[in-house]
Amino acid sequence: MTDHIPLQPVRRPHRHDSKHRHGCCPWSACCGIGDLRPRTVWLGHPEKKEQRYPRNVINNQKYNFFTFLPGVLFNQFKYFFNFYFLLLACSQFVEELRLGALYTYWVPLGFVLIITITRESTEEIRCYLRDKENQRVPADMIFLRTSERNGSCFLRTDQLDGETAWKLRLPVACTQRLPTAADLLQIRSYVYAEEPNIDIHNFIGTFTRVGLFDLEVNCLTKILFGALVVVSLVMVALQHFAGRWYLQIFRFVLLFSHIVPISLRVNLDMGKMVFSWMIKKDPKIPGTVVRTSTIPEQLGRISYLLTDKTGTLTQNEMVFRRLHLGTVAYGMDSMDEVQSHVFSAYTQPTFDLPASRTPAATKVRKTISSRVHEAVKAIALVHNVTPVYEANGVTDQAEAEQHYEDTCRVYQAASPDEVSLVQWTESVGLTLVGRDQSSMQLRTPTGQILNFTILQIFHFTYESKRMGIIVRDESTGEITFYMKGADVVMAGIVQYNDWLEEECGNMAREGLRVLVVAKKSLTEEQYQDFETRYLQAKISVHDRSLKVATVIESLEMEMELLCLTGVEDQLQTDVRPTLEILRNAGIKVWMLTGDNLETATCTAKNAHLITRNQDIHTFRSVTTRGEAHLELNAFRRKHDCALVISGDSLEVCLKYYEYEFMELACQCPAVVCCRCTPTQKAQIVRLLQERTGKLTCAVGDGGNDVSMIQEADCGVGVEGKEGKQASLAADFSVTQFKHLGRLLMVHGRNSYKRSAALSQFVIHRSLCIATMQTVFSTVFYFASVPLYQGFLVIGYSTIYTMFPVFSLVLDKDVKSEVAMLYPELYKDLQKGRPLSFKTFLIWVLISIYQGSIIMYGALLLFESEFVHIVAISFTSLILTELLMVALTIQTWHWLMIVGELLSLACYVASLVFLHEFIDVYFIITLSFLWKVTVITLVSCLPLYILKYLRRRFSPPNYSKLTS
C-alpha cells in the first residue's frame, strides 16, 4: 500500500524475507517526480493549471497493464529454477543439441507459465478490487468546507497515530462561509504544503512476496543442478573426452535434465492455491480472508508472534468501572450512590445560588455529595463527544433533535474512552443532549437543560497527553477551565496531594485505563487576558506551536484535582486458551502496545500471556548509556522471567546495546513493550528476524499496526472497530484473535507438511527417471541416447502421475482436533525438519535405489528387443510411483483413491496409442506381467518394510496420538 508521493525510503541491509519493500520506483527521477519540494496548490488560478503532482491513490498492485506480462516473466525467470528450463527449451532450436520433438520441452514450460500468469492475474484483480474498498484519503489534508451546518467534521487518523476513532476538525472559516462547494473554484487562493518528509505521521511503501519455503526449494534445485553438471562431466570423462566432447557435455545436460523437476514450481503454486482455499472455506474460522496466497506454508513455522493489545487481545469496548475521589471510590456495585448524589445536587433549594463564588465558601470543606456532583459535571463537559439524532421510525429527525429524543441519540466521539465516560454520566443522571461548535447542553435528572458556551477547546495530542475545555455556565456566568489527561502529565498540573500517584498505580494494576480530571475557576478578567495572549500566539508566524503551548501552560497551574476515572477494555473471547496453545506450540508471544506500563502488565497477566508462576522483570526507566548498562546487567541475572519494558527505555537500549538486549529478550518466555510507536513495532519485528533468523508473525487491528504487519514474515489483520487498515495490509485477515490458533496449528501445520511432502515427491519422481537414464547410458557405453522420447516423457510427469502426487495436498497426519489439543506437534515444524537436507538426502537415496532397481531389472529380464526394455521399465516406473504415493499417504481421502485409479486407467488406455514406443502385443503376455511385478515389488517392498520397522520401534510424535 502506498501514498504515491515520492518519498525517499529508509536504506537498510537487504535480507531474504517474504516481503520486498520499496518507497518509489528506481526511475522516478526520470519521470520528473524525484525531487522532494514544497508544493503550492492554487485555487481559482487557471494559468497555474500546468502544475502537476502525482495522484494520491491507494495501490497494492505489483504491475500495471503494460508491465504485467514482462513483470511476471521476469519474476519467474529470475529464479535459477525456471531460467534453467528456459535455456533447455531454447537449446532445442539448435539441431546438434536436439534430443526429441520441440513440444517435449516447450509444452511443460508453457503449462507452468500459464498457471503462473493465471495466478498472478487473479492476485492483481483481487488487489485492484481491494484497493477500491479503502475510501480513506491517503494524503495530508487542509479542510476547506463541509455540508454540515455547524461546520464540523469527524475524521480518522488511526493509520497515522493509532487513535481509534473520530476526531473533530473545523474548516477554514472563509471557505466554510461559501454558499456551495462549487464556489471553491471561483475564489483565487492557494495552499502551500511542505516537502514530503519521513516521520511517524507519513506512511509510504509497497511490498511483494517471496516465501521462505520457495527459497529453500530454490536452494535444493541448485544442488540438483550441481549434481546434473557433475554427472554429465563424469559421463564425458568416462569417454576420455573423445571427439567433440564439449557438445557431449551439453547433450548429457539435456539428457539428464529430469534431475531438476520442471513441474515442481507449478505443483507448489497450485498447492498453495488449494491451501488458501481451505483456509477461506473453514467453517470454524468464518470470515477469514487470504490476501496473499503465496505463503500459507509459512504459517506452519512461526517462532515469534507479535501482537497489539487494544482491539486485538481486547474488544476495544470501554466500560466505565471506577470513580475515585481520593477519600472515597465508587465501583460498579455502588453507582446508585453516585446517581443519588447527582440527583440531590439538582433538587436542593440552594442549588441556583452562586455561593461557590464567595471566598468563604471555597474554604469550607465540601461535602461528598457536592464533590461527586462536581466530578460528574466535569466528566460530562470535558470531551469531544457530539450527540447525533437519527430518525427512528415515524419520528422526524429535526423533531427528535429539538426534543432531545433519547431513543434517537447516538454519540460520535474521538475515542471509545470518551464515549464510555459520556454514557456513564448519562447513566447517573447528567446527560449530554446537544453540542455544536460554540455551545453544549446537559440535561439534569429533573429534566432541566443546562446551557454552556464553549469558549476554548484544547484537543488531545500524543505529545500533550491531555485535553481541556473552557466553558461559561449561562445560568451563573461562571467561567471554568476543565482538563483531563494521563497521570504522568496531570501530576505536575494539579495542586499537591498525597493520593494521586498511589491510586493511579492501583487502578492501572487492575487493568483500568486511568484519566485524571481537574478544574480551575476563572474570573472574566483572567479569561480575557488569556484569550488576548492566546489569539496573539495563534497568528504568530514564527514558533507558533511553541507560543501557543506556552500560553496554554500558563493556565495549567494549581488546578483543583476532582477525581480519577477508570475504564476497562475487556478481553476478546477465548484469548487465554489461544495464548496457551501458542505457548505450548513453542511460539513466543510479544505484546507491543501504546498503553502505559501498569495497564499493559495487567492485561498481559489477565490474558495469561504472563502466567501466574512466572517472574516479571520490569525494566527500569533509563535515559543514558550508563543507566542502560546497569539495568541490562540486572536483567542478565534473571532467569526464565517475562520482560516488561517501555518504549523510551527500549529506544535507549537499542541505540547503545542492540545485540545484548535482543539476546536477552529472545530468551524470555514473554515480552511486553508498552508506550510503543508504530515505528518501534516494525523495528522490533525486523530485529527479531535479523538476530534469530526465525519466522515472525505480527497481529494487529489498527492503522498503527500496519508497519509491524508488513514488516513481519506473516501479517495477520484483525477486523475490528478501528477499521480495515490492518486487515487490508495483512497477508491473512481474521475476525477474532482466537482464530489465530486454528490458522497456525491446523492450516499452517498442514500447509507446510503437505508442501514439503509434495516437493520431495516431485523431486523423487524426477530423480527416478534421471537415475534410469544414467544407468541406461552407462550400460550402453556412455552413449548420449534418450531412454524415453516424445509423449512418454511428457506423460510421465503429467497424466500418468500428476493426480496421485498432487493429491498429497489433501494428506494429514492427525485430525484438526488433535492438532489443536496437542499444540506441541507444531514444535517439530519450527526447525524445518519436514524439508531439510536430511530428508532431501533420504529421498535422493530412495530415488537412486528405485531407479537403479527398475533399470537393471528391465535390462536383466528383457528379451531380445530394445522396445521390451522400454515397456518393462516404464510400466514398472509408473507402478512404483503410484505405490510410493500410497506408501507416503497418512490419511486417505476419496480423491486420493480416484487419483490413483484415474492415473492407472489413463496409462492403460494410452498404451493403444504408444505403439511407436511400446510393443502392444508384448504387454499382454504373462512374461511381461510377472517381470513388471517382480521389479516393482523389489523396488517398493523394502521401503514398506523399513517404514513398518521405523513406526514400530521409533514412531514419530503424531503416530503416538493416532494409534
Side-chain angles (χ1 to χ4, degrees):
M1 184 178 297
T2 178
D3 180 342
H4 278 186
I5 297 175
L7 305 190
Q8 200 67 19
V10 178
R11 302 296 179 189
R12 60 174 175 269
H14 176 72
R15 85 184 147 79
H16 292 288
D17 63 357
S18 60
K19 305 177 184 178
H20 295 303
R21 306 155 184 85
H22 45 90
C24 55
C25 61
W27 50 84
S28 57
C30 302
C31 303
I33 60 173
D35 296 332
L36 306 182
R37 304 189 307 270
R39 299 180 181 186
T40 302
V41 182
W42 301 83
L43 288 175
H45 289 264
E47 69 277 9
K48 304 289 185 179
K49 285 186 177 179
E50 67 273 9
Q51 292 186 340
R52 292 290 184 268
Y53 298 106
R55 292 185 304 148
N56 289 305
V57 294
I58 296 294
N59 185 2
N60 278 305
Q61 295 169 254
K62 292 187 287 186
Y63 315 102
N64 59 34
F65 179 80
F66 299 102
T67 63
F68 175 75
L69 191 58
V72 171
L73 293 178
F74 172 77
N75 283 329
Q76 288 304 306
F77 293 122
K78 72 180 180 182
Y79 286 105
F80 168 80
F81 178 82
N82 289 335
F83 183 67
Y84 163 71
F85 284 108
L86 178 65
L87 292 179
L88 286 184
C90 291
S91 71
Q92 295 304 290
F93 290 110
V94 180
E95 190 65 32
E96 293 177 315
L97 299 178
R98 183 178 297 180
L99 295 178
L102 287 176
Y103 70 85
T104 305
Y105 289 87
W106 282 99
V107 169
L109 184 62
F111 179 70
V112 170
L113 290 178
I114 289 173
I115 293 294
T116 300
I117 291 173
T118 302
R119 179 176 59 82
E120 288 291 334
S121 61
T122 303
E123 288 288 326
E124 288 293 283
I125 293 172
R126 287 176 179 171
C127 286
Y128 174 79
L129 296 175
R130 190 165 77 233
D131 291 340
K132 294 300 180 183
E133 299 175 10
N134 193 325
Q135 300 300 320
R136 308 288 291 278
V137 180
D140 295 323
M141 291 175 53
I142 293 183
F143 188 23
L144 298 179
R145 190 179 183 279
T146 175
S147 58
E148 288 293 318
R149 289 175 299 171
N150 58 12
S152 61
C153 178
F154 288 88
L155 54 85
R156 297 277 293 271
T157 61
D158 52 323
Q159 194 157 352
L160 297 177
D161 56 17
E163 283 297 297
T164 58
W166 304 101
K167 284 188 172 61
L168 177 66
R169 292 293 182 267
L170 303 177
V172 178
C174 63
T175 53
Q176 173 62 23
R177 288 194 292 265
L178 294 174
T180 65
D183 293 322
L184 287 170
L185 301 177
Q186 307 303 320
I187 63 174
R188 294 176 63 85
S189 61
Y190 67 90
V191 173
Y192 172 84
E194 65 176 351
E195 70 277 6
N197 56 79
I198 299 176
D199 60 37
I200 189 177
H201 300 294
N202 287 295
F203 180 73
I204 64 171
T206 59
F207 70 95
T208 55
R209 291 287 178 179
V210 178
L212 177 62
F213 187 86
D214 292 333
L215 294 177
E216 292 175 340
V217 170
N218 200 50
C219 179
L220 294 181
T221 57
K222 290 179 182 179
I223 296 175
L224 291 173
F225 176 76
L228 165 63
V229 173
V230 169
V231 172
S232 301
L233 289 173
V234 169
M235 297 298 285
V236 175
L238 292 174
Q239 292 178 336
H240 306 291
F241 295 97
R244 302 169 71 181
W245 58 269
Y246 48 89
L247 282 179
Q248 288 298 315
I249 290 178
F250 284 107
R251 286 185 63 86
F252 277 118
V253 167
L254 293 171
L255 201 61
F256 300 142
S257 61
H258 296 292
I259 291 179
V260 184
I262 188 174
S263 59
L264 179 56
R265 286 283 304 186
V266 70
N267 273 278
L268 288 177
D269 287 344
M270 292 173 62
K272 291 175 181 181
M273 295 173 66
V274 173
F275 304 149
S276 300
W277 182 83
M278 289 178 175
I279 293 173
K280 289 187 287 187
K281 296 299 181 181
D282 189 343
K284 295 188 178 180
I285 48 174
T288 300
V289 178
V290 180
R291 304 198 187 278
T292 305
S293 61
T294 56
I295 57 169
E297 73 282 346
Q298 300 212 143
L299 292 171
R301 303 178 63 182
I302 301 300
S303 295
Y304 289 91
L305 186 133
L306 303 100
T307 176
D308 179 40
K309 182 183 81 69
T310 305
T312 305
L313 296 180
T314 62
Q315 298 179 16
N316 202 12
E317 291 182 356
M318 304 302 170
V319 180
F320 191 94
R321 294 295 187 191
R322 185 76 52 82
L323 178 70
H324 206 299
L325 303 180
T327 57
V328 63
Y330 298 95
M332 293 299 295
D333 56 347
S334 55
M335 288 302 167
D336 54 339
E337 296 182 37
V338 177
Q339 188 175 15
S340 176
H341 289 311
V342 174
F343 182 79
S344 65
Y346 289 102
T347 54
Q348 295 296 330
T350 58
F351 166 71
D352 290 330
L353 297 178
S356 60
R357 303 184 68 186
T358 63
T362 58
K363 295 180 181 179
V364 176
R365 183 175 180 84
K366 296 179 180 178
T367 64
I368 291 295
S369 183
S370 63
R371 290 175 62 197
V372 170
H373 166 244
E374 286 186 9
V376 174
K377 182 179 176 183
I379 297 170
L381 289 171
V382 58
H383 53 71
N384 279 310
V385 181
T386 300
V388 176
Y389 292 85
E390 301 175 348
N392 185 13
V394 297
T395 306
D396 181 72
Q397 184 169 343
E399 182 182 346
E401 185 171 353
Q402 182 179 356
H403 295 91
Y404 302 131
E405 293 280 350
D406 288 343
T407 57
C408 304
R409 185 170 54 251
V410 176
Y411 292 121
Q412 288 185 345
S415 75
D417 301 57
E418 292 206 310
V419 171
S420 66
L421 292 174
V422 172
Q423 289 174 338
W424 175 76
T425 62
E426 179 182 358
S427 70
V428 296
L430 203 56
T431 306
L432 174 68
V433 293
R435 179 177 186 153
D436 55 30
Q437 281 183 242
S438 58
S439 65
M440 198 183 309
Q441 293 77 40
L442 301 179
R443 186 174 63 198
T444 68
T446 60
Q448 178 187 2
I449 301 299
L450 305 179
N451 291 290
F452 296 87
T453 300
I454 301 176
L455 301 178
Q456 299 291 344
I457 187 165
F458 314 114
H459 296 285
F460 175 88
T461 65
Y462 262 103
E463 292 74 26
S464 67
K465 294 183 175 61
R466 59 188 181 274
M467 71 87 59
I469 189 171
I470 301 178
V471 297
R472 176 187 281 116
D473 189 335
E474 292 299 317
S475 62
T476 63
E478 292 180 347
I479 299 176
T480 309
F481 174 36
Y482 292 104
M483 177 171 282
K484 69 179 179 183
D487 57 305
V488 290
V489 294
M490 295 296 289
I493 293 175
V494 299
Q495 297 170 349
Y496 172 78
N497 62 87
D498 58 359
W499 61 274
L500 175 61
E501 182 179 357
E502 180 181 356
E503 294 303 332
C504 284
N506 291 337
M507 293 172 68
R509 280 186 285 274
E510 296 179 31
L512 302 180
R513 286 191 176 186
V514 183
L515 282 177
V516 180
V517 183
K519 79 167 189 175
K520 186 175 187 178
S521 297
L522 303 176
T523 63
E524 188 69 35
E525 294 76 16
Q526 287 174 324
Y527 175 71
Q528 291 300 330
D529 174 65
F530 166 79
E531 185 179 40
T532 301
R533 292 183 291 116
Y534 185 59
L535 292 176
Q536 193 69 30
K538 288 176 68 175
I539 62 175
S540 176
V541 177
H542 303 290
D543 299 325
R544 180 189 299 174
S545 299
L546 178 62
K547 292 178 180 179
V548 169
T550 302
V551 173
I552 296 175
E553 287 173 2
S554 67
L555 269 186
E556 300 172 342
M557 295 188 298
E558 293 296 309
M559 297 188 71
E560 178 186 352
L561 175 59
L562 294 179
C563 66
L564 306 179
T565 64
V567 295
E568 182 184 26
D569 190 3
Q570 296 181 330
L571 291 175
Q572 291 269 17
T573 308
D574 292 334
V575 163
R576 292 168 182 164
T578 301
L579 288 175
E580 185 176 358
I581 287 173
L582 297 175
R583 186 165 51 247
N584 292 335
I587 299 175
K588 294 186 177 181
V589 182
W590 291 30
M591 187 174 79
L592 314 180
T593 177
D595 276 344
N596 63 36
L597 189 143
E598 290 83 4
T599 304
T601 304
C602 182
T603 302
K605 290 180 178 178
N606 194 25
H608 293 179
L609 173 63
I610 300 175
T611 58
R612 293 181 179 179
N613 56 353
Q614 270 181 355
D615 292 331
I616 300 176
H617 178 80
T618 302
F619 206 89
R620 189 170 57 88
S621 178
V622 296
T623 56
T624 65
R625 180 171 186 165
E627 292 176 344
H629 180 73
L630 293 174
E631 189 62 20
L632 281 172
N633 285 338
F635 180 34
R636 195 185 302 274
R637 290 190 290 269
K638 300 291 184 68
H639 298 284
D640 195 34
C641 66
L643 171 65
V644 179
I645 187 171
S646 67
D648 294 336
S649 299
L650 176 67
E651 188 172 356
V652 175
C653 290
L654 294 181
K655 181 178 180 181
Y656 297 111
Y657 300 103
E658 178 183 294
Y659 177 81
E660 292 81 356
F661 174 80
M662 291 303 299
E663 182 185 22
L664 293 173
C666 290
Q667 297 173 6
C668 295
V671 176
V672 176
C673 297
C674 57
R675 297 297 188 197
C676 267
T677 65
T679 305
Q680 285 179 319
K681 291 183 178 182
Q683 182 185 15
I684 292 171
V685 174
R686 186 164 58 252
L687 288 173
L688 276 175
Q689 293 167 331
E690 293 172 354
R691 296 298 180 190
T692 67
K694 303 293 183 62
L695 291 186
T696 60
C697 176
V699 189
D701 71 314
N704 58 332
D705 301 316
V706 168
S707 57
M708 170 178 71
I709 286 173
Q710 292 189 342
E711 190 69 45
D713 298 289
C714 293
V716 180
V718 181
E719 290 190 11
K721 294 181 172 57
E722 296 190 23
K724 290 189 174 183
Q725 291 77 23
S727 165
L728 292 173
D731 307 308
F732 306 90
S733 173
V734 297
T735 56
Q736 298 182 55
F737 182 83
K738 68 177 182 179
H739 292 166
L740 198 63
R742 186 172 179 86
L743 187 65
L744 269 60
M745 299 300 111
V746 177
H747 292 287
R749 184 174 181 273
N750 285 342
S751 297
Y752 179 51
K753 288 183 71 70
R754 290 164 174 171
S755 295
L758 181 62
S759 61
Q760 289 168 340
F761 214 94
V762 171
I763 291 173
H764 162 266
R765 182 174 64 186
S766 297
L767 283 177
C768 274
I769 194 171
T771 301
M772 293 171 64
Q773 177 66 59
T774 304
V775 173
F776 177 78
S777 296
T778 303
V779 170
F780 288 94
Y781 307 102
F782 315 110
S784 56
V785 177
L787 172 61
Y788 304 124
Q789 297 185 26
F791 188 77
L792 289 182
V793 176
I794 296 178
Y796 171 66
S797 57
T798 54
I799 62 171
Y800 296 156
T801 60
M802 180 179 66
F803 300 118
V805 171
F806 189 71
S807 69
L808 290 173
V809 300
L810 302 173
D811 192 20
K812 56 183 178 181
D813 52 359
V814 295
K815 294 181 179 179
S816 58
E817 295 79 11
V818 176
M820 293 292 291
L821 188 60
Y822 297 97
E824 293 81 2
L825 294 172
Y826 190 89
K827 291 182 180 180
D828 293 336
L829 278 63
Q830 293 170 331
K831 298 178 181 178
R833 288 175 179 169
L835 186 66
S836 62
F837 286 112
K838 177 183 177 181
T839 57
F840 171 70
L841 181 60
I842 290 174
W843 278 99
V844 168
L845 294 176
I846 291 174
S847 304
I848 294 174
Y849 166 75
Q850 291 187 319
S852 301
I853 288 295
I854 293 172
M855 196 66 249
Y856 277 117
L859 291 171
L860 182 66
L861 298 177
F862 90 106
E863 296 179 359
S864 57
E865 299 183 25
F866 173 77
V867 72
H868 292 171
I869 297 178
V870 174
I872 294 172
S873 63
F874 193 77
T875 305
S876 300
L877 178 63
I878 297 297
L879 293 177
T880 296
E881 288 299 317
L882 298 181
L883 288 174
M884 283 300 295
V885 171
L887 174 65
T888 305
I889 291 174
Q890 306 285 344
T891 304
W892 282 90
H893 188 281
W894 67 270
L895 284 176
M896 295 175 174
I897 300 174
V898 170
E900 292 267 345
L901 297 177
L902 181 62
S903 296
L904 185 59
C906 287
Y907 177 62
V908 173
S910 66
L911 289 176
V912 180
F913 308 99
L914 298 177
H915 53 82
E916 181 182 354
F917 312 108
I918 296 177
D919 184 353
V920 180
Y921 297 101
F922 173 68
I923 62 175
I924 60 176
T925 64
L926 187 61
S927 173
F928 169 80
L929 294 177
W930 78 260
K931 290 175 182 178
V932 168
T933 302
V934 169
I935 292 173
T936 304
L937 286 176
V938 174
S939 68
C940 293
L941 188 60
L943 298 177
Y944 271 92
I945 295 173
L946 289 175
K947 180 182 179 181
Y948 170 78
L949 293 176
R950 181 174 178 272
R951 290 181 67 92
R952 179 72 175 82
F953 298 104
S954 181
N957 292 330
Y958 64 83
S959 65
K960 300 174 184 177
L961 301 175
T962 55
S963 60

